[in-house]
Amino acid sequence: MTKAIEWISTPAGGFLRLIDQRALPATTAYLDITTVAQLIDAVKTLAVRGAPALGAAGAYGIAVAMLESKRDGWGEAQLRAAFEQLADARPTAVNLAWGAKQVAAQYSHGFEAVLTAAHKIARADEAANRKLSQLGADWLTSKLGKHKLRAITHCNTGALATTAWGTGYGILHELHTRGQLEMVYVDETRPLLQGTRLTSWELTQDGIPHLVQVDGAAASTILRGLVDFAIIGADRITANGDSANKIGSLALALACARAQIPFIVAAPYSTVDATTASGDLVEIENRDDAEVLELAGVKLAAPGVKAFNPAFDVTPHDLISAIVTERGVVEPAVTQQPLFAP
Ligand code: MRU
């Protein structure tokens, strides 16, 4: 299994090793992170990405900051400012700030306490991956039966996006292991192609049959009856069950509602933000125009053209058949609100 994120201990304390997801699948390269600036750059450029992996990156980032602070003689104010900058490096996935803040709370107890807290977050994510994968596969079997299922997914929710097997991907993997998965339709996931580059790479490694399609094919694939369910991850799930995820997720939910097939959101509980009432309050990250207007560095649009590049959309809870976390499965479309309490 690919390790997207790993703490490497050394006599001087250690560093954070990330697989550089920008280079995949052509090149498997690693980034050894020793400064907060390097980590913020890795987060902003999606060298590390996916909400649970960002949670672990935020957590280990506090350890990185403490070692850097010691090396460079920072004062406490500078260190605390670095904690904040790290937590704010991307706004939509709640896990990043959550991981950074959980671990920063251990700061006064020293480096070892910080590192222990970061390891605890990473291990809890692994356990959550395993548990929710089983719960999600059980739920799908109870709704759709034991015959081989066909799925559609969007973005990347596998090992690269988490600390272990994945969330939505974990459920697909579990179904595959149980002999209950026939085919996965993988949205390419414009503009950064997490589906084509990352999900398809992971499915290939796991020997899971799949087809990559353009995002624009998704609604038609669903309405033509080519899939039995859709499954995605989440960057933030609000108290009422609204779920923010990669731009294009909402289109799948709308099509599933029309086709009357299950639309499933899978995430560790650390992605639940019960302090935010509903999805309209979630900050949606807007990214650079060049991601839309260029392909592999080649300009596609006429000079002067501007882009609209929101990285995420919000699926309202009434379009979601099930939210699967390690704590259980809730059915937002039929359950009393709010679903999650702080
Ligand atoms: O911009 P990204 O690649 O970080 O977006 C990732 C997603 O939208 C994932 O679906 C989400 O974080 C869940 S990952 C288990």
Side-chain angles (χ1 to χ4, degrees):
M1 185 177 56
T2 309
K3 267 268 168 227
I5 178 160
E6 193 175 7
W7 183 262
I8 308 288
S9 287
T10 66
F15 58 88
L16 183 61
R17 178 163 285 169
L18 303 174
I19 191 162
D20 186 349
Q21 300 192 34
R22 298 166 301 190
L24 289 172
T27 309
T28 305
Y30 291 87
L31 297 172
D32 288 345
I33 302 288
T34 55
T35 69
V36 174
Q38 287 170 347
L39 183 53
I40 289 175
D41 183 64
V43 167
K44 284 184 188 291
T45 60
L46 274 58
V48 59
R49 47 147 299 283
L54 288 173
Y60 284 120
I62 301 300
V64 168
M66 282 185 75
L67 292 176
E68 184 179 9
S69 160
K70 194 168 158 208
R71 271 195 320 270
D72 293 2
W74 292 356
E76 185 171 336
Q78 191 177 356
L79 181 58
R80 288 207 178 271
F83 291 171
E84 295 277 321
Q85 285 158 12
L86 178 59
D88 295 343
R90 288 186 81 190
T92 306
V94 68
N95 309 58
L96 174 64
W98 172 84
K101 284 179 184 156
Q102 292 276 314
V103 174
Q106 296 300 316
Y107 158 71
S108 58
H109 301 296
F111 176 74
E112 284 308 322
V114 158
L115 191 57
T116 302
H119 284 323
K120 199 170 154 198
I121 282 180
R123 275 200 300 271
D125 186 59
E126 267 188 55
N129 280 196
R130 189 193 303 270
K131 181 77 185 165
L132 73 84
S133 297
Q134 290 162 356
L135 290 174
D138 290 348
W139 187 88
L140 276 161
T141 304
S142 75
K143 296 289 171 189
L144 299 175
K146 271 206 156 166
H147 62 92
K148 281 205 165 199
L149 299 173
R150 302 154 307 159
I152 181 170
T153 192
H154 193 75
C155 199
N156 171 261
T157 63
L160 292 165
T162 64
T163 60
W165 304 268
T167 56
Y169 188 99
I171 294 172
L172 292 174
H173 189 266
E174 179 67 23
L175 287 172
H176 172 68
T177 306
R178 296 181 186 184
Q180 283 176 251
L181 190 60
E182 182 178 317
M183 174 62 71
V184 183
Y185 288 81
V186 179
D187 282 354
E188 60 172 351
T189 317
R190 282 279 292 151
L192 297 178
L193 302 173
Q194 289 92 332
T196 308
R197 295 187 304 105
L198 309 177
T199 301
S200 163
W201 186 64
E202 292 188 46
L203 288 164
T204 301
Q205 284 173 343
D206 288 332
I208 298 178
H210 64 283
L211 296 166
V212 176
Q213 63 179 13
V214 296
D215 295 352
S220 164
T221 298
I222 292 167
L223 292 187
R224 284 173 66 191
L226 297 177
V227 295
D228 302 299
F229 69 96
I231 189 156
I232 61 163
D235 285 83
R236 190 181 294 247
I237 300 170
T238 59
N240 69 344
D242 294 349
S243 296
N245 193 57
K246 179 57 55 192
I247 191 76
S249 301
L250 173 58
L252 267 65
L254 288 163
C256 285
R258 171 74 186 219
Q260 297 190 314
I261 63 169
F263 177 84
I264 295 140
V265 172
Y269 205 83
S270 55
T271 302
V272 172
D273 173 12
T275 63
T276 299
S278 57
D280 51 319
L281 302 170
V282 174
E283 183 181 348
I284 300 294
E285 176 185 8
N286 268 303
R287 294 187 59 86
D288 201 283
D289 286 17
E291 291 179 354
V292 175
L293 302 176
E294 297 178 5
L295 207 54
V298 177
K299 287 190 169 45
L300 301 175
V305 172
K306 298 253 177 282
F308 177 51
N309 188 16
F312 301 96
D313 57 28
V314 175
T315 299
H317 62 270
D318 55 294
L319 293 177
I320 301 173
S321 315
I323 296 178
V324 184
T325 74
E326 70 276 21
R327 296 194 191 178
V329 181
V330 292
E331 301 186 4
V334 295
T335 308
Q336 287 257 313
Q337 306 299 317
L339 289 180
F340 303 108

